[in-house]
Amino acid sequence: MRTKITLATICKATFALALLMTLFSCKKNPPGSDDSGFNLNVVLRGDAKSSPGSSGYIEFRQDPDTARIIDLNTWVHNLEPNHSYLLQRPVNPITDPDCSSTAWLTLGLGLTPQNIQTDDHGDGHADFWRAVTATARGTQVHIHFQIVDATTLAPVLTSDCYEYTVR
């Protein structure tokens, strides 16, 4: 018997592996690492009541280039099929370790917000980016993320608070 491997199967397996690796690693890179504080592996979790079994992951990367572009490669899993979602974040001053800000900014391609579209299985992926050239190098902030329903703007996935340093 021959097994048919689809793109959806490969994407699910890749997402599951990335999520497992993230869940069993630290939020920050090890001290002394060249990327310590510059790159984050953000885990997004759904509420047990409103989004049971749903999850997400953001690969937050800032290359050491002069443009200071942050890549936000985002995956969501087990959300409503064939539906649109938005990635949002507020930035909190380093003096706010609890990430209490709720001034949400919708992310996408630079300054243009973009949707994450789920497939028939409720899985989706989008490669977003944001320029931080106006922010001084070495600036430290606390940051957290949420995925919201693009129609109702209700949060469906949220992250913990992370410390980020502008490269």
Side-chain angles (χ1 to χ4, degrees):
M1 183 163 94
R2 191 171 181 170
T3 303
K4 184 177 178 183
I5 298 176
T6 65
L7 181 58
T9 304
I10 293 169
C11 288
K12 282 184 182 181
T14 302
F15 174 78
L17 180 60
L19 186 60
L20 283 173
M21 289 173 54
T22 300
L23 289 174
F24 292 104
S25 67
C26 297
K27 286 186 194 174
K28 291 173 57 177
N29 293 325
S33 168
D34 290 337
D35 288 336
S36 183
F38 302 120
N39 296 325
L40 304 172
N41 296 314
V42 178
V43 176
L44 299 156
R45 294 178 183 87
D47 179 38
K49 292 180 183 177
S50 61
S51 303
S54 60
S55 61
Y57 176 77
I58 303 169
E59 191 179 73
F60 181 109
R61 300 290 182 264
Q62 185 183 357
D63 292 328
D65 61 6
T66 57
R68 289 188 269 166
I69 303 294
I70 297 171
D71 291 315
L72 299 153
N73 300 318
T74 306
W75 292 266
V76 295
H77 179 66
N78 203 26
L79 294 176
E80 185 179 332
N82 303 308
H83 197 72
S84 293
Y85 295 89
L86 301 168
L87 172 62
Q88 298 182 327
R89 67 97 179 127
V91 171
N92 303 269
I94 198 69
T95 56
D96 179 13
D98 297 323
C99 283
S100 63
S101 175
T102 56
W104 295 101
L105 172 71
T106 300
L107 301 170
L109 304 178
L111 297 175
T112 306
Q114 298 289 314
N115 289 345
I116 302 167
Q117 184 65 39
T118 57
D119 62 15
D120 293 345
H121 304 285
D123 300 328
H125 173 249
D127 291 330
F128 298 142
W129 61 270
R130 179 93 175 141
V132 293
T133 52
T135 306
R137 292 181 189 276
T139 299
Q140 293 184 318
V141 296
H142 284 109
I143 190 168
H144 63 289
F145 298 88
Q146 68 179 9
I147 301 287
V148 298
D149 183 300
T151 305
T152 66
L153 299 181
V156 295
L157 301 174
T158 58
S159 78
D160 289 335
C161 186
Y162 293 82
E163 187 176 311
Y164 166 63
T165 304
V166 176
R167 187 187 300 254

